[in-house]
Amino acid sequence: MENEPSEEYESTYDEADAGEYVVTPLPTAHMHFAAAFLFGAWYSTIFASATTTGVKYLYRETPDAHGLLASVAWALGSGIGIALASRLSKTHRVAVGICSTFVPVSVWIALLFFMRADFDKPIGESVFGHPLSARQAIIFLSSLTLVVGLASSFLGATSRNDEELTDQLLLIPSRHWLWLWIAGFVWVCELPHVAYYCWLQVATALYAIIHPSLWFSSGSGLFFGTIGTVALLFGVQMSLKAVSDKSSYGGVVWKRVLMFLVGTVVLASLVTPFSLNLEIDRLKDIPASLGAHPWWVL
């Protein structure tokens, strides 16, 4: 897995010295397609587990409930890893994403085969009142993972024009990818919290519009949730900068390590979940009309 930028350069016009051009190196894809395939297979599994864990954490009292929602989270998390592998691959980017997609899909199909004796066993989930069996649930998860994976393959391969994100990712030394999955798990695990917080904000705002009694409710603030979301964004950006840019934070190794820990451990792992959970609990307490359970709380 090569990580050194290849010898590609661009010429930029130097306004200070008219007529002169400055040649600067461009970071380019640096991961062999075989290594990118293994990377995609591993990171898609890690990120899928992270999003599923995030969903289960939202329902700490009943972590086994909402299996369909957890399945959607698994597929989306897998797609993040596949898109990242397609973006980082030096060649055959779409093929890398597609091959990485078939790894988790094959696992679910194999599970379907080994569970054939319990195909028709209900799993406690229903869609529009129709109970789902184990066969239907696994087929749904496999199909969703396949669709999301294929879409992520093309998105990752075609989104390399996003220089602000691509340049930072491509400058990360290859050896760091061997352990960055740990931090990546933490980052991705918070995405369901952010998504659920945004959903509650939109849903409660629409609900409050037609219920004037809720216009001045104390549970409709934005402060803590915004802090949590911003803390996650800054934490990820701070951590990636510390890993990818050797000259960052004065170029001092211990300062870079410290800033990485601040971004991942303090901001992403502590500030973000605390702030989001606090705000989500407040939003859940907004009463629905006639004392019914709020429809927006999943």
Side-chain angles (χ1 to χ4, degrees):
M1 190 162 44
E2 298 297 331
N3 189 54
E4 297 301 328
S6 61
E7 296 298 327
E8 293 188 13
Y9 299 88
E10 69 173 353
S11 297
T12 55
Y13 187 77
D14 189 354
E15 296 181 356
D17 300 310
E20 294 185 6
Y21 290 85
V22 178
V23 178
T24 57
L26 278 175
T28 58
H30 49 263
M31 195 176 291
H32 190 273
F33 72 89
F37 162 69
L38 296 176
F39 173 92
W42 175 242
Y43 269 70
S44 63
T45 304
I46 292 299
F47 289 164
S49 301
T51 50
T52 305
T53 301
V55 169
K56 290 183 177 181
Y57 184 76
L58 288 172
Y59 305 97
R60 296 180 293 276
E61 298 178 355
T62 56
D64 295 330
H66 303 282
L68 289 180
L69 183 61
S71 298
V72 174
W74 175 280
L76 294 177
S78 177
I80 296 174
I82 292 169
L84 182 59
S86 298
R87 178 186 288 268
L88 294 178
S89 180
K90 187 173 184 179
T91 57
H92 309 295
R93 295 173 189 130
V94 176
V96 165
I98 294 175
C99 293
S100 300
T101 299
F102 279 103
V103 173
V105 172
S106 300
V107 172
W108 289 117
I109 293 177
L111 182 62
L112 185 64
F113 174 79
F114 287 111
M115 290 183 59
R116 61 187 182 276
D118 299 324
F119 270 166
D120 299 323
K121 183 179 179 180
I123 61 172
E125 295 284 342
S126 61
V127 178
F128 302 112
H130 177 71
L132 292 179
S133 64
R135 180 208 306 264
Q136 294 169 329
I138 295 179
I139 291 176
F140 169 76
L141 178 56
S142 302
S143 302
L144 185 62
T145 302
L146 179 62
V147 171
V148 172
L150 294 178
S152 300
S153 301
F154 288 98
L155 288 175
T158 58
S159 62
R160 294 174 61 84
N161 292 330
D162 187 356
E163 296 181 357
E164 182 179 356
L165 177 61
T166 302
D167 290 359
Q168 195 170 49
L169 291 175
L170 295 180
L171 289 176
I172 296 178
S174 59
R175 63 184 180 276
H176 292 318
W177 288 115
L178 298 176
W179 60 266
L180 267 178
W181 61 270
I182 302 174
F185 184 94
V186 175
W187 303 337
V188 177
C189 189
E190 293 302 324
L191 294 182
H193 296 79
V194 174
Y196 192 36
Y197 164 71
C198 294
W199 157 250
L200 288 178
Q201 282 290 353
V202 173
T204 53
L206 294 176
Y207 186 83
I209 289 177
I210 58 176
H211 291 79
S213 62
L214 300 178
W215 287 359
F216 303 100
S217 173
S218 60
S220 59
L222 287 168
F223 180 70
F224 289 105
T226 302
I227 288 179
T229 304
V230 172
L232 178 62
L233 295 175
F234 271 96
V236 173
Q237 193 276 336
M238 183 184 302
S239 299
L240 288 177
K241 181 180 179 181
V243 175
S244 63
D245 188 359
K246 293 182 179 181
S247 63
S248 62
Y249 308 113
V252 182
V253 174
W254 70 265
K255 289 184 178 180
R256 292 170 57 202
V257 172
L258 178 62
M259 297 310 294
F260 178 89
L261 294 177
V262 169
T264 297
V265 177
V266 178
L267 294 181
S269 300
L270 297 178
V271 176
T272 295
F274 174 80
S275 301
L276 288 175
N277 287 333
L278 184 63
E279 189 63 27
I280 286 173
D281 290 339
R282 294 176 63 195
L283 290 171
K284 285 182 177 180
D285 290 337
I286 296 179
S289 60
L290 304 177
H293 183 74
W295 56 268
W296 56 79
V297 179
L298 299 178

